[in-house]
Amino acid sequence: MDVKLNTIRLVRVLSLAGEILNNAVSVAVFCVLDFVDFILCFVYKVIDFWIESQWKPCYCSSAKQHIIEGDNILVSEECESKIVCLTSTNLQVEDISDTLYSRPSIVAQLSKFIINDLNKTKKTTVTSTFTIDSTIVEVLRRNVVPRWSDCDCKICNSWTSSRKDTLFVKAEGPKDKAREDVLFIHGFISSSVFWTETLFPNFSTTVKSTYRLLAVDILGFGRSPKPTDSLYTLREHVEMIEKSVLEAFQVKSFHIVAHSLGCILALAIAVKHPGSIKSLTLLAPPYFPVPKGEPATQYIMRRIAPRRVWPVMAFGASVACWYEHISRTICLVVCKNHRLWEFITKFITRNR
């Protein structure tokens, strides 16, 4: 009995010690990453100017504290995820998360927590301010051409000059005699292959003869268009699915099967077409209850990317979500040279 109690106490002590060590190392590591990302911001501005004769504002730039008279291109309310956009173009941007351009460093966050603790007893008046993000303004004003740091292969640039404005859809099953339609929506960093190479081959002949199976590559993924002037908002994703699937295949009522990011799109479609949805199947939906009074987007950002070195998945997500220029460096090494990595992988594995 004593041995068991001692073992439990030892495990608790080691767990606490590990958590303290993880927190301490994480603060140190991410403070360094904050500094590295800050330096890379200037490095890329210099390189961009040298190669492209101009530098473009990045998302880490401070949002301007005024509204551009006349244009009213992009207006966002502080601490809100709602973006209201009025432009002369056909683009309408709304519901863009403030985490796109508001990602405070870990030092700034620690300072904010300390100040908030000191001011808990003081009454403060919350005022509403409006800001404009210069990066998104630029995206809306003109088309964005491929950067020097982007891959220049035909596959990666096929959509920059293409006029194709519908998503890729893999359809299986009877065209005219299908009793019901099933829409499959994949998740982040995926494509319709997620369904067509796993579920579709295993469906019975009865299912394939009864249901029309529609697996879509959402905007920016797989074989679907990847427009450089898009901000990939929820509205854009839903409208493209409506145009490419519901309208193109004349779908009146249907089932939806969705995974991860696709679950968000599935819910948006269900809300927009409540009378058309026969069933809704969500696999690994991203759901994070937000405490009352917490800014939702920033809270969820901290949950998904907690800026911890352990576990490894949390570290990877934190680097990808919080550090724009470090992520750009990784993309420069990996994505721009994907043909080299593909060749090495094929050579080593002797496989596709």
Side-chain angles (χ1 to χ4, degrees):
M1 192 67 173
D2 291 338
V3 174
K4 186 176 181 179
L5 288 173
N6 290 334
T7 303
I8 293 173
R9 290 171 183 170
L10 179 62
V11 169
R12 288 178 179 176
V13 170
L14 291 176
S15 178
L16 179 61
E19 185 177 350
I20 293 172
L21 180 63
N22 187 25
N23 290 339
V25 173
S26 296
V27 170
V29 168
F30 284 99
C31 282
V32 173
L33 291 179
D34 284 338
F35 178 74
V36 171
D37 200 65
F38 177 78
I39 297 298
L40 285 175
C41 178
F42 289 96
V43 170
Y44 280 120
K45 284 185 183 296
V46 172
I47 298 176
D48 289 344
F49 187 79
W50 178 53
I51 297 177
E52 301 176 346
S53 299
Q54 63 177 330
W55 59 57
K56 298 181 180 180
C58 48
Y59 293 117
C60 69
S61 302
S62 298
K64 297 178 181 178
Q65 300 296 319
H66 62 274
I67 297 176
I68 299 178
E69 298 270 338
D71 289 339
N72 291 329
I73 294 178
L74 185 66
V75 180
S76 65
E77 192 170 0
E78 190 176 1
C79 298
E80 294 287 342
S81 60
K82 175 74 72 175
I83 299 287
V84 179
C85 176
L86 300 174
T87 72
S88 59
T89 68
N90 60 353
L91 286 178
Q92 297 176 0
V93 180
E94 48 199 28
D95 294 318
I96 298 176
S97 172
D98 63 304
T99 55
L100 179 65
Y101 52 86
S102 178
R103 286 170 284 185
S105 66
I106 194 167
V107 176
Q109 276 199 317
L110 289 173
S111 302
K112 183 179 178 180
F113 290 149
I114 294 172
I115 293 172
N116 287 342
D117 287 338
L118 293 174
N119 294 333
K120 271 184 179 179
T121 57
K122 296 181 180 180
K123 290 185 178 180
T124 58
T125 302
V126 179
T127 58
S128 179
T129 61
F130 291 90
T131 63
I132 295 176
D133 181 64
S134 55
T135 307
I136 303 178
V137 168
E138 182 179 2
V139 171
L140 292 171
R141 279 180 165 167
R142 59 184 179 81
N143 291 340
V144 180
V145 298
R147 311 294 303 277
W148 64 268
S149 54
D150 295 337
C151 177
D152 58 356
C153 75
K154 291 182 179 180
I155 296 175
C156 293
N157 286 282
S158 60
W159 305 111
T160 57
S161 58
S162 174
R163 294 186 178 180
K164 182 179 175 64
D165 57 354
T166 57
L167 304 176
F168 172 82
V169 182
K170 175 68 174 178
E172 289 192 12
K175 295 181 179 180
D176 302 322
K177 298 181 180 179
R179 295 181 185 175
E180 298 183 39
D181 294 310
V182 185
L183 171 61
F184 293 85
I185 309 175
H186 64 81
F188 189 59
I189 316 182
S190 186
S191 70
S192 56
V193 172
F194 181 81
W195 309 108
T196 59
E197 291 191 1
T198 55
L199 288 183
F200 283 26
N202 293 297
F203 283 134
S204 65
T205 306
T206 305
V207 170
K208 291 182 179 180
S209 62
T210 305
Y211 297 91
R212 182 167 56 169
L213 312 174
L214 305 168
V216 61
D217 284 345
I218 64 176
L219 189 65
F221 292 81
R223 285 171 278 184
S224 286
K226 305 167 182 63
T228 54
D229 58 352
S230 172
L231 289 173
Y232 298 92
T233 61
L234 180 62
R235 180 188 57 80
E236 288 177 292
H237 279 296
V238 171
E239 288 182 355
M240 286 296 285
I241 292 174
E242 289 174 329
K243 180 180 181 180
S244 307
V245 183
L246 304 188
E247 295 175 10
F249 290 86
Q250 298 180 344
V251 177
K252 302 302 180 183
S253 61
F254 54 100
H255 304 269
I256 301 182
V257 180
H259 173 247
S260 187
L261 169 64
C263 296
I264 299 174
L265 306 183
L267 289 171
I269 294 171
V271 169
K272 196 171 181 179
H273 303 274
S276 301
I277 307 300
K278 290 189 172 181
S279 70
L280 191 61
T281 304
L282 307 179
L283 307 176
Y287 173 68
F288 299 93
V290 179
K292 189 176 181 180
E294 284 274 359
T297 52
Q298 294 291 337
Y299 175 82
I300 294 172
M301 179 82 159
R302 294 194 299 270
R303 285 288 305 274
I304 296 174
R307 287 201 279 204
R308 292 289 180 268
V309 294
W310 187 262
V312 176
M313 284 292 290
F315 177 73
S318 300
V319 172
C321 291
W322 290 97
Y323 300 104
E324 176 184 353
H325 305 289
I326 293 177
S327 296
R328 186 181 178 185
T329 304
I330 295 171
C331 289
L332 181 62
V333 174
V334 178
C335 301
K336 183 177 175 64
N337 302 293
H338 69 87
R339 287 167 292 183
L340 173 62
W341 297 114
E342 288 170 6
F343 172 78
I344 293 174
T345 303
K346 290 176 182 178
F347 179 79
I348 294 175
T349 62
R350 298 186 180 278
N351 198 320
R352 293 180 62 248

